Amino acid sequence: MSIPMESWPRRHRITVDDYYRMAEIGVLPRDARVELIEGEIIDMAPIGTEHASVVDRLNHLLVHAVGERAIVRVQSAARLSHITEPEPDVAVLKPRADFYRHAHPRGDEILLLVEVSDSSLRYDRDIKMPLYARYGVGEFWLVDLVNGCLSIYGDLVDGEYRAHTSIRDPALTALALLPDVRIDLGQIFER
């Protein structure tokens, strides 16, 4: 008598191309708040007013700080692989003459990604942060609105961030890959 082996259900991962096709034919509404993470479509939380305000403030600060040295994008896709296309809250990109008109930025073209977290803190920290490192994103900031803390991940080596700093009262902060750029983050946790 043989004993059947237990097996896990098989997952069917989709590609970024499949993901776009699903939107084109209406399987996914064009305005759906979703992103593709390692071949799985993930629902994103609705954007509350505090979250939106912090993203707007970061955008304002970063645009003025980086000037012509980089491109700042808000809530736009980054194509990290053929099965992963997240939509981080803020991205600071290497400058390109075409402003990424023909392709979303890849990990090695991203200087900094920022996720602003309230209800998504664990997901952003435990899933997205290592994912960003694995795909070569130079630096990652996690703005924790619940605990009023900024976590900075950097020093990317072999697909992992080797440095991590948490700051309760952020002030003048430098971008690791643009060290001459400093922004005052002291206002991001104002209530």
Side-chain angles (χ1 to χ4, degrees):
M1 179 168 121
S2 76
I3 299 172
M5 292 181 52
E6 182 177 351
S7 64
W8 287 96
R10 185 170 167 218
R11 292 182 177 190
H12 294 274
R13 301 207 185 271
I14 64 169
T15 67
V16 173
D17 292 336
D18 297 334
Y19 178 63
Y20 277 92
R21 245 184 324 262
M22 291 170 75
E24 286 170 10
I25 64 171
V27 173
L28 291 173
R30 286 198 177 274
D31 61 347
R33 290 218 11 97
V34 294
E35 59 189 351
L36 187 65
I37 304 295
E38 298 295 273
E40 295 182 351
I41 299 170
I42 306 295
D43 288 324
M44 294 171 26
I47 298 173
T49 57
E50 183 180 17
H51 183 281
S53 174
V54 170
V55 169
D56 289 345
R57 189 176 301 250
L58 285 166
N59 178 49
H60 177 79
L61 292 168
L62 286 163
V63 165
H64 288 287
V66 302
E68 297 295 318
R69 291 173 290 219
I71 297 168
V72 179
R73 277 192 168 179
V74 174
Q75 295 169 336
S76 293
R79 183 146 187 193
L80 301 182
S81 77
H82 74 287
I83 60 169
T84 300
E85 192 171 284
E87 292 190 15
D89 288 311
V90 181
V92 178
L93 311 174
K94 290 179 179 178
R96 257 184 35 186
D98 71 348
F99 283 78
Y100 298 89
R101 182 181 186 111
H102 302 289
H104 290 304
R106 298 180 321 265
D108 62 348
E109 296 172 311
I110 302 169
L111 303 171
L112 168 69
L113 285 184
V114 181
E115 293 287 358
V116 176
S117 300
D118 35 30
S119 62
S120 62
L121 178 63
R122 278 188 17 194
Y123 184 76
D124 291 340
R125 182 191 60 225
D126 298 345
I127 303 298
K128 286 184 142 183
M129 181 273 295
L131 182 83
Y132 293 156
R134 188 167 58 247
Y135 287 112
V137 173
E139 184 174 18
F140 173 63
W141 292 359
L142 180 60
V143 179
D144 176 354
L145 296 178
V146 174
N147 299 301
C149 182
L150 170 67
S151 292
I152 299 174
Y153 298 86
D155 189 19
L156 183 64
V157 177
D158 296 329
E160 292 184 3
Y161 295 121
R162 301 291 177 154
H164 171 236
T165 305
S166 291
I167 307 165
R168 284 242 173 251
D169 296 311
L172 204 56
T173 304
L175 278 69
L177 298 177
L178 292 173
D180 61 320
V181 173
R182 297 179 183 280
I183 61 172
D184 185 357
L185 297 175
Q187 302 170 5
I188 63 173
F189 294 115
E190 286 182 354
R191 302 238 174 216

